[in-house]
Coordinates of all heavy atoms in Angstrom, one line a residue:
Y1 N 0.8 -1.2 0.0 CA 0.0 0.0 0.0 C 0.8 1.3 0.0 O 0.3 2.3 -0.2 CB -0.9 0.0 1.2 CG -2.0 -1.1 1.1 CD1 -1.9 -2.3 1.8 CD2 -3.1 -0.9 0.2 CE1 -2.9 -3.2 1.7 CE2 -4.1 -1.9 0.2 CZ -3.9 -3.0 0.9 OH -4.9 -4.0 0.7
V2 N 2.1 1.2 0.3 CA 3.0 2.3 0.3 C 3.1 3.0 -1.1 O 3.2 4.2 -1.2 CB 4.4 1.9 0.8 CG1 5.4 3.1 0.7 CG2 4.3 1.5 2.3
T3 N 3.0 2.2 -2.1 CA 3.0 2.7 -3.5 C 1.7 3.2 -4.0 O 1.6 3.5 -5.2 CB 3.7 1.8 -4.4 OG1 3.0 0.5 -4.4 CG2 5.1 1.4 -4.0
D4 N 0.7 3.2 -3.2 CA -0.7 3.6 -3.6 C -0.6 5.0 -4.1 O 0.1 5.9 -3.6 CB -1.7 3.4 -2.5 CG -3.1 3.5 -2.9 OD1 -3.6 4.5 -3.4 OD2 -3.7 2.4 -2.8
V5 N -1.5 5.3 -5.2 CA -1.5 6.7 -5.7 C -2.2 7.6 -4.7 O -2.0 8.9 -4.8 CB -2.2 6.7 -7.1 CG1 -1.4 6.0 -8.1 CG2 -3.6 6.2 -7.0
D6 N -3.0 7.1 -3.8 CA -3.6 7.9 -2.8 C -2.6 8.3 -1.7 O -2.1 7.3 -1.0 CB -4.8 7.3 -2.2 CG -5.6 8.1 -1.2 OD1 -5.1 9.2 -0.8 OD2 -6.7 7.7 -0.9
A7 N -2.1 9.5 -1.6 CA -1.1 9.8 -0.6 C -1.4 9.5 0.8 O -0.6 9.1 1.6 CB -0.7 11.3 -0.7
A8 N -2.8 9.7 1.2 CA -3.1 9.4 2.5 C -3.0 7.9 2.9 O -2.5 7.5 4.0 CB -4.6 9.8 2.8
I9 N -3.3 7.0 1.9 CA -3.1 5.5 2.1 C -1.7 5.2 2.2 O -1.2 4.5 3.1 CB -3.8 4.8 1.0 CG1 -5.3 4.9 1.2 CG2 -3.4 3.3 1.1 CD1 -6.1 4.3 0.1
A10 N -0.8 5.8 1.3 CA 0.6 5.5 1.4 C 1.2 6.0 2.7 O 2.0 5.3 3.3 CB 1.2 6.3 0.2
R11 N 0.9 7.2 3.1 CA 1.4 7.7 4.4 C 1.0 6.8 5.6 O 1.8 6.5 6.4 CB 0.9 9.1 4.7 CG 1.6 10.2 3.9 CD 1.0 11.5 4.2 NE 1.7 12.6 3.6 CZ 2.7 13.2 4.1 NH1 3.1 12.9 5.3 NH2 3.3 14.2 3.5
E12 N -0.3 6.4 5.6 CA -0.8 5.5 6.7 C 0.0 4.2 6.7 O 0.2 3.6 7.7 CB -2.2 5.4 6.7 CG -2.8 4.6 7.9 CD -2.5 5.3 9.2 OE1 -2.4 6.5 9.3 OE2 -2.2 4.5 10.2
S13 N 0.3 3.7 5.5 CA 1.0 2.4 5.4 C 2.4 2.5 5.9 O 2.8 1.6 6.6 CB 1.0 2.0 3.9 OG -0.3 1.8 3.3
V14 N 3.0 3.6 5.7 CA 4.4 3.8 6.2 C 4.3 3.9 7.7 O 5.1 3.3 8.5 CB 5.1 5.0 5.7 CG1 6.4 5.4 6.4 CG2 5.3 4.9 4.2
R15 N 3.3 4.7 8.2 CA 3.1 4.8 9.7 C 2.9 3.4 10.3 O 3.4 3.0 11.4 CB 1.9 5.7 10.0 CG 2.2 7.1 9.8 CD 1.0 7.9 10.3 NE 1.0 9.2 9.6 CZ 0.0 9.6 8.8 NH1 -1.0 9.0 8.6 NH2 0.2 10.7 8.1
A16 N 2.1 2.5 9.7 CA 1.8 1.2 10.2 C 3.1 0.4 10.3 O 3.3 -0.3 11.3 CB 0.8 0.5 9.3
V17 N 3.9 0.4 9.3 CA 5.2 -0.3 9.3 C 6.0 0.2 10.4 O 6.6 -0.6 11.2 CB 6.0 -0.2 8.0 CG1 7.4 -0.8 8.1 CG2 5.1 -0.9 6.9
G18 N 6.1 1.5 10.6 CA 6.8 2.1 11.8 C 6.3 1.6 13.1 O 7.1 1.4 14.0
R19 N 5.0 1.6 13.3 CA 4.4 1.1 14.5 C 4.7 -0.3 14.8 O 5.0 -0.7 16.0 CB 2.9 1.3 14.5 CG 2.4 2.7 14.7 CD 1.0 2.9 15.0 NE 0.1 2.3 13.9 CZ -0.4 3.0 12.9 NH1 -0.1 4.3 12.8 NH2 -1.1 2.4 12.0
V20 N 4.8 -1.1 13.8 CA 5.2 -2.6 14.1 C 6.6 -2.6 14.6 O 6.9 -3.4 15.5 CB 5.1 -3.3 12.7 CG1 5.7 -4.7 12.9 CG2 3.7 -3.5 12.3
A21 N 7.5 -1.8 14.1 CA 8.9 -1.8 14.6 C 8.9 -1.3 16.1 O 9.7 -1.7 16.8 CB 9.7 -0.8 13.7
L22 N 8.0 -0.4 16.4 CA 8.0 0.2 17.8 C 7.4 -0.8 18.8 O 7.7 -0.8 20.0 CB 7.3 1.5 17.8 CG 7.9 2.6 17.1 CD1 7.0 3.9 17.1 CD2 9.2 3.0 17.6
D23 N 6.5 -1.7 18.3 CA 5.8 -2.6 19.2 C 6.6 -3.8 19.7 O 6.2 -4.5 20.6 CB 4.5 -3.1 18.6 CG 3.5 -1.9 18.5 OD1 3.6 -0.9 19.3 OD2 2.5 -2.1 17.8
G24 N 7.7 -4.1 19.1 CA 8.4 -5.3 19.5 C 9.9 -5.2 19.1 O 10.3 -4.4 18.4
D25 N 10.6 -6.2 19.7 CA 12.1 -6.3 19.4 C 12.3 -7.4 18.3 O 13.4 -7.4 17.7 CB 12.8 -6.6 20.7 CG 13.0 -5.4 21.6 OD1 13.0 -4.3 21.0 OD2 13.2 -5.6 22.8
Q26 N 11.4 -8.3 18.2 CA 11.6 -9.3 17.3 C 11.4 -8.9 15.8 O 10.4 -8.2 15.6 CB 10.6 -10.5 17.5 CG 10.8 -11.1 19.0 CD 12.0 -12.0 19.0 OE1 12.4 -12.6 18.1 NE2 12.5 -12.1 20.3
G27 N 12.2 -9.1 14.9 CA 12.1 -8.8 13.5 C 12.2 -7.3 13.2 O 11.9 -6.9 12.1
V28 N 12.8 -6.6 14.1 CA 13.1 -5.2 13.8 C 14.0 -5.0 12.6 O 13.9 -4.1 11.8 CB 13.6 -4.4 15.0 CG1 13.9 -2.9 14.7 CG2 12.5 -4.4 16.1
S29 N 14.9 -5.9 12.5 CA 15.9 -5.8 11.4 C 15.2 -5.7 10.0 O 15.6 -4.9 9.2 CB 16.9 -7.0 11.5 OG 17.7 -7.0 10.3
G30 N 14.2 -6.6 9.8 CA 13.6 -6.6 8.5 C 12.7 -5.4 8.3 O 12.5 -4.9 7.2
I31 N 12.2 -4.9 9.4 CA 11.4 -3.7 9.3 C 12.3 -2.5 9.0 O 11.9 -1.5 8.2 CB 10.6 -3.4 10.6 CG1 9.6 -4.6 10.8 CG2 9.8 -2.1 10.6 CD1 8.9 -4.7 12.1
V32 N 13.4 -2.4 9.6 CA 14.4 -1.3 9.3 C 14.8 -1.3 7.9 O 14.8 -0.3 7.2 CB 15.6 -1.4 10.2 CG1 16.6 -0.3 9.8 CG2 15.2 -1.1 11.7
D33 N 15.0 -2.6 7.3 CA 15.4 -2.7 5.9 C 14.2 -2.2 5.0 O 14.5 -1.5 4.0 CB 15.7 -4.1 5.6 CG 17.0 -4.6 6.2 OD1 17.9 -3.8 6.5 OD2 17.2 -5.8 6.3
R34 N 13.0 -2.5 5.4 CA 11.9 -2.1 4.6 C 11.7 -0.6 4.6 O 11.5 0.0 3.6 CB 10.6 -2.8 5.1 CG 9.3 -2.4 4.3 CD 9.4 -2.9 3.0 NE 9.7 -4.3 2.8 CZ 9.6 -5.0 1.7 NH1 9.3 -4.4 0.6 NH2 9.9 -6.2 1.7
L35 N 11.9 0.0 5.8 CA 11.8 1.5 5.9 C 12.9 2.2 5.0 O 12.6 3.2 4.4 CB 11.9 1.9 7.3 CG 10.6 1.7 8.2 CD1 10.9 2.0 9.7 CD2 9.5 2.5 7.8
L36 N 14.0 1.6 5.0 CA 15.1 2.2 4.2 C 14.9 2.0 2.8 O 15.2 2.9 2.0 CB 16.5 1.6 4.6 CG 16.9 1.9 6.1 CD1 18.3 1.2 6.4 CD2 17.0 3.3 6.4
Q37 N 14.2 1.0 2.4 CA 13.8 0.8 1.0 C 12.7 1.8 0.6 O 12.7 2.3 -0.5 CB 13.2 -0.6 0.8 CG 14.2 -1.7 0.8 CD 13.6 -3.1 0.7 OE1 12.4 -3.2 0.5 NE2 14.4 -4.1 0.8
F38 N 11.9 2.2 1.6 CA 10.9 3.3 1.2 C 11.5 4.6 0.9 O 11.1 5.3 0.1 CB 9.9 3.5 2.4 CG 9.0 2.3 2.7 CD1 8.4 2.2 4.0 CD2 8.8 1.3 1.8 CE1 7.6 1.2 4.3 CE2 8.0 0.2 2.2 CZ 7.4 0.2 3.4
L39 N 12.7 4.8 1.5 CA 13.5 6.1 1.2 C 13.8 6.2 -0.2 O 13.9 7.2 -0.8 CB 14.7 6.2 2.1 CG 14.4 6.5 3.6 CD1 15.7 6.5 4.4 CD2 13.6 7.7 3.8
A40 N 14.2 5.0 -0.8 CA 14.5 5.0 -2.2 C 13.4 5.1 -3.2 O 13.6 5.1 -4.4 CB 15.3 3.6 -2.5
H41 N 12.2 5.1 -2.7 CA 11.1 5.1 -3.6 C 11.0 6.4 -4.4 O 10.6 6.4 -5.6 CB 9.8 5.0 -2.8 CG 8.5 4.8 -3.5 ND1 7.8 5.9 -4.0 CD2 8.0 3.7 -4.1 CE1 6.8 5.3 -4.7 NE2 6.8 4.1 -4.8
G42 N 11.4 7.5 -3.8 CA 11.5 8.7 -4.6 C 10.3 9.6 -4.6 O 10.3 10.6 -5.2
T43 N 9.2 9.2 -3.9 CA 8.0 10.1 -3.7 C 8.2 10.9 -2.5 O 8.4 10.4 -1.4 CB 6.8 9.2 -3.7 OG1 6.8 8.2 -4.8 CG2 5.6 10.0 -3.7
D44 N 8.0 12.2 -2.6 CA 8.2 13.1 -1.5 C 7.5 12.8 -0.3 O 8.0 12.8 0.8 CB 8.0 14.6 -2.0 CG 6.6 14.9 -2.5 OD1 5.8 13.9 -2.7 OD2 6.3 16.1 -2.7
Y45 N 6.2 12.5 -0.4 CA 5.4 12.3 0.9 C 5.8 10.9 1.5 O 5.7 10.7 2.7 CB 3.9 12.3 0.6 CG 3.4 11.5 -0.5 CD1 3.0 10.2 -0.3 CD2 3.2 12.0 -1.8 CE1 2.5 9.4 -1.3 CE2 2.7 11.2 -2.8 CZ 2.3 10.0 -2.6 OH 1.8 9.1 -3.6
I46 N 6.2 9.9 0.7 CA 6.7 8.7 1.3 C 8.0 8.9 2.0 O 8.2 8.4 3.1 CB 6.8 7.6 0.2 CG1 5.4 7.2 -0.3 CG2 7.5 6.3 0.7 CD1 5.4 6.2 -1.5
T47 N 8.9 9.7 1.3 CA 10.1 9.9 2.0 C 9.9 10.7 3.3 O 10.6 10.3 4.3 CB 11.1 10.8 1.1 OG1 11.2 10.1 -0.2 CG2 12.4 11.2 1.7
A48 N 9.1 11.7 3.4 CA 8.8 12.5 4.5 C 8.2 11.6 5.6 O 8.7 11.6 6.8 CB 7.9 13.6 4.2
E49 N 7.3 10.7 5.3 CA 6.7 9.9 6.3 C 7.6 8.8 6.8 O 7.7 8.5 8.0 CB 5.5 9.2 5.8 CG 4.4 8.8 6.8 CD 3.9 9.9 7.6 OE1 3.4 11.0 7.1 OE2 4.0 9.8 8.9
T50 N 8.5 8.4 6.0 CA 9.5 7.3 6.3 C 10.5 8.0 7.3 O 10.9 7.4 8.3 CB 10.2 6.8 5.1 OG1 9.2 6.2 4.3 CG2 11.2 5.8 5.4
L51 N 10.9 9.2 7.0 CA 11.8 9.9 7.9 C 11.2 10.0 9.3 O 12.0 9.9 10.3 CB 12.2 11.2 7.4 CG 13.2 11.2 6.1 CD1 13.4 12.5 5.6 CD2 14.5 10.5 6.5
V52 N 10.0 10.3 9.4 CA 9.3 10.4 10.8 C 9.3 9.1 11.4 O 9.6 9.0 12.6 CB 7.8 11.0 10.6 CG1 7.1 10.9 11.9 CG2 7.9 12.4 10.1
A53 N 9.0 8.0 10.7 CA 9.0 6.7 11.3 C 10.4 6.3 11.7 O 10.5 5.6 12.8 CB 8.5 5.6 10.2
I54 N 11.4 6.6 11.0 CA 12.8 6.3 11.3 C 13.2 7.1 12.6 O 13.8 6.5 13.5 CB 13.8 6.6 10.1 CG1 13.5 5.5 9.1 CG2 15.2 6.6 10.6 CD1 14.3 5.8 7.8
K55 N 12.8 8.3 12.7 CA 13.1 9.1 13.9 C 12.5 8.4 15.1 O 13.2 8.2 16.1 CB 12.5 10.5 13.7 CG 12.6 11.3 15.0 CD 11.6 12.5 15.0 CE 10.2 12.0 14.8 NZ 9.2 12.4 15.7
D56 N 11.2 8.0 15.0 CA 10.6 7.3 16.2 C 11.3 6.0 16.5 O 11.5 5.6 17.7 CB 9.1 7.1 15.9 CG 8.4 8.5 15.8 OD1 8.9 9.5 16.3 OD2 7.3 8.4 15.2
L57 N 11.6 5.3 15.4 CA 12.3 4.0 15.6 C 13.6 4.2 16.3 O 14.0 3.4 17.2 CB 12.5 3.3 14.2 CG 13.3 2.0 14.3 CD1 12.3 0.9 14.2 CD2 14.3 2.0 13.2
L58 N 14.4 5.2 15.9 CA 15.7 5.4 16.6 C 15.7 5.8 18.0 O 16.5 5.5 18.8 CB 16.5 6.4 15.8 CG 17.0 5.9 14.4 CD1 17.7 7.0 13.6 CD2 17.8 4.7 14.4
R59 N 14.5 6.4 18.4 CA 14.4 6.7 19.8 C 14.2 5.5 20.6 O 14.7 5.4 21.7 CB 13.2 7.6 20.0 CG 13.4 9.1 19.5 CD 12.2 9.9 19.8 NE 12.5 11.3 19.4 CZ 11.6 12.2 19.3 NH1 10.3 11.9 19.4 NH2 11.9 13.4 18.9
R60 N 13.5 4.5 20.1 CA 13.3 3.2 20.8 C 14.4 2.2 20.6 O 14.7 1.4 21.5 CB 12.0 2.6 20.3 CG 11.6 1.3 20.8 CD 10.8 1.3 22.2 NE 9.8 2.2 22.3 CZ 8.5 2.0 22.1 NH1 8.1 0.8 21.8 NH2 7.6 3.0 22.4
H61 N 15.0 2.2 19.4 CA 16.1 1.3 19.0 C 17.3 1.9 18.4 O 17.5 1.9 17.2 CB 15.6 0.3 18.0 CG 14.3 -0.5 18.4 ND1 14.3 -1.5 19.3 CD2 13.0 -0.4 18.0 CE1 13.1 -2.0 19.4 NE2 12.3 -1.3 18.7
P62 N 18.0 2.7 19.3 CA 19.2 3.4 18.8 C 20.3 2.6 18.1 O 21.1 3.1 17.4 CB 19.7 4.1 20.1 CG 19.2 3.4 21.2 CD 17.9 2.8 20.7
R63 N 20.3 1.3 18.3 CA 21.3 0.5 17.7 C 21.2 0.5 16.2 O 22.2 0.1 15.5 CB 21.2 -1.0 18.3 CG 20.0 -1.7 17.9 CD 19.9 -3.1 18.5 NE 18.7 -3.8 18.2 CZ 17.6 -3.7 19.0 NH1 17.7 -3.0 20.1 NH2 16.5 -4.4 18.8
W64 N 20.2 0.9 15.6 CA 20.0 1.0 14.2 C 20.4 2.3 13.6 O 20.3 2.6 12.4 CB 18.5 0.7 13.8 CG 18.1 -0.6 14.2 CD1 17.3 -1.0 15.2 CD2 18.5 -1.9 13.5 NE1 17.2 -2.4 15.2 CE2 17.9 -2.9 14.2 CE3 19.3 -2.1 12.4 CZ2 18.1 -4.3 13.9 CZ3 19.5 -3.5 12.1 CH2 18.9 -4.5 12.8
A65 N 21.0 3.2 14.4 CA 21.4 4.5 14.0 C 22.4 4.5 12.8 O 22.2 5.3 11.9 CB 22.0 5.3 15.2
D66 N 23.4 3.7 12.9 CA 24.5 3.7 11.8 C 23.8 3.4 10.5 O 24.1 4.1 9.5 CB 25.5 2.7 12.1 CG 26.4 3.1 13.3 OD1 26.4 4.3 13.6 OD2 27.0 2.2 13.9
D67 N 23.0 2.4 10.4 CA 22.4 2.0 9.1 C 21.4 3.1 8.6 O 21.5 3.4 7.4 CB 21.5 0.7 9.3 CG 22.4 -0.5 9.6 OD1 23.6 -0.5 9.3 OD2 21.8 -1.4 10.2
C68 N 20.7 3.7 9.5 CA 19.8 4.8 9.1 C 20.4 6.1 8.7 O 20.1 6.7 7.7 CB 18.8 5.0 10.2 SG 17.7 3.6 10.6
I69 N 21.5 6.4 9.4 CA 22.3 7.6 9.1 C 22.8 7.5 7.7 O 22.8 8.5 6.8 CB 23.3 7.9 10.1 CG1 22.6 8.4 11.4 CG2 24.3 9.0 9.6 CD1 23.5 8.5 12.6
V70 N 23.3 6.4 7.3 CA 23.9 6.2 6.0 C 22.9 6.4 4.9 O 23.1 7.1 3.9 CB 24.6 4.8 5.9 CG1 24.9 4.5 4.4 CG2 25.9 4.7 6.7
A71 N 21.7 5.8 5.1 CA 20.6 5.9 4.2 C 20.1 7.3 4.1 O 19.8 7.9 3.0 CB 19.5 4.9 4.5
V72 N 19.9 8.0 5.2 CA 19.3 9.3 5.2 C 20.2 10.3 4.7 O 19.9 11.3 4.1 CB 18.9 9.7 6.7 CG1 18.5 11.1 6.8 CG2 17.7 8.7 7.1
S73 N 21.5 10.1 4.8 CA 22.5 11.2 4.4 C 22.4 11.3 2.8 O 22.9 12.3 2.3 CB 23.9 10.8 4.8 OG 24.4 9.6 4.2
G74 N 21.9 10.3 2.1 CA 21.9 10.4 0.7 C 20.7 11.1 0.1 O 20.5 11.3 -1.0
I75 N 19.8 11.6 1.0 CA 18.5 12.2 0.6 C 18.7 13.7 0.5 O 19.3 14.4 1.3 CB 17.4 12.0 1.6 CG1 17.2 10.5 1.8 CG2 16.2 12.7 1.2 CD1 16.2 10.1 2.9
E76 N 18.3 14.2 -0.6 CA 18.3 15.7 -0.9 C 17.1 16.3 -0.1 O 16.0 15.8 -0.3 CB 18.3 16.0 -2.3 CG 19.6 15.5 -3.0 CD 19.6 16.1 -4.5 OE1 19.1 17.1 -4.7 OE2 20.2 15.4 -5.3
V77 N 17.4 17.4 0.5 CA 16.3 18.1 1.3 C 15.1 18.5 0.4 O 14.0 18.5 0.7 CB 16.9 19.3 2.0 CG1 15.8 20.1 2.7 CG2 17.9 18.9 3.0
D78 N 15.4 18.9 -0.9 CA 14.4 19.3 -1.8 C 13.4 18.1 -2.2 O 12.4 18.4 -2.6 CB 15.0 19.8 -3.1 CG 15.9 21.1 -2.8 OD1 15.6 21.7 -1.8 OD2 16.7 21.4 -3.7
A79 N 13.9 16.9 -1.8 CA 13.0 15.7 -2.2 C 12.0 15.4 -1.1 O 11.3 14.4 -1.2 CB 13.9 14.5 -2.4
I80 N 11.9 16.2 -0.1 CA 11.0 16.0 1.0 C 9.9 17.1 1.1 O 10.2 18.2 1.0 CB 11.8 16.0 2.4 CG1 12.9 15.0 2.3 CG2 10.9 15.7 3.5 CD1 13.9 15.2 3.4
S81 N 8.7 16.6 1.2 CA 7.6 17.5 1.2 C 6.7 17.1 2.4 O 6.4 15.9 2.6 CB 6.7 17.5 -0.1 OG 5.6 18.2 0.1
E82 N 6.2 18.0 3.2 CA 5.4 17.8 4.3 C 3.9 18.2 4.1 O 3.3 18.6 5.0 CB 6.0 18.5 5.5 CG 6.3 17.8 6.8 CD 5.8 16.4 6.9 OE1 6.6 15.5 6.6 OE2 4.8 16.1 7.4
T83 N 3.5 18.0 2.9 CA 2.0 18.4 2.6 C 1.1 17.3 2.8 O 1.4 16.1 2.9 CB 1.9 18.9 1.2 OG1 2.5 18.0 0.3 CG2 2.5 20.3 1.2

C-alpha cells in the first residue's frame, strides 16, 4: 500500500510499518530494511513519512542509527515534502 497513488493511504501504510517496529524487538531488522527501501522510492510524501517513522524507531532502538544515518545522508532536502 505504500506505493498507492492515494497519498493518505501511502502515508498511513508507512506509519503502520513504523508502529510494528516500535511494538516489538523481534524482527526489527527486517522492518528497518523495509523502511530504508521506502526512502529509495522517490516520492516526496513517502520519503517524509518514512523519515518520521525512522526518527521514532531510533528513539526506541538506537542500535540501528548507523544503518539509518547512511541511508538518510543520501537524501536531498528538496526531495522531502510535508504536505
Side-chain angles (χ1 to χ4, degrees):
Y1 292 103
V2 170
T3 58
D4 197 291
V5 293
D6 184 348
I9 291 174
R11 283 178 173 271
E12 188 55 41
S13 298
V14 173
R15 285 186 208 118
V17 172
R19 282 193 302 270
V20 170
L22 294 176
D23 287 342
D25 283 334
Q26 301 284 332
V28 174
S29 173
I31 297 169
V32 171
D33 289 340
R34 181 61 55 169
L35 287 170
L36 296 179
Q37 288 174 6
F38 293 163
L39 290 176
H41 189 270
T43 307
D44 58 351
Y45 54 86
I46 292 174
T47 300
E49 203 61 51
T50 302
L51 288 173
V52 172
I54 288 172
K55 171 201 56 127
D56 294 339
L57 175 101
L58 290 177
R59 286 182 175 165
R60 175 89 40 101
H61 302 285
R63 66 182 174 271
W64 296 104
D66 291 339
D67 296 333
C68 293
I69 289 171
V70 169
V72 170
S73 67
I75 298 173
E76 294 189 28
V77 176
D78 297 339
I80 304 168
S81 174
E82 234 351 90
T83 51

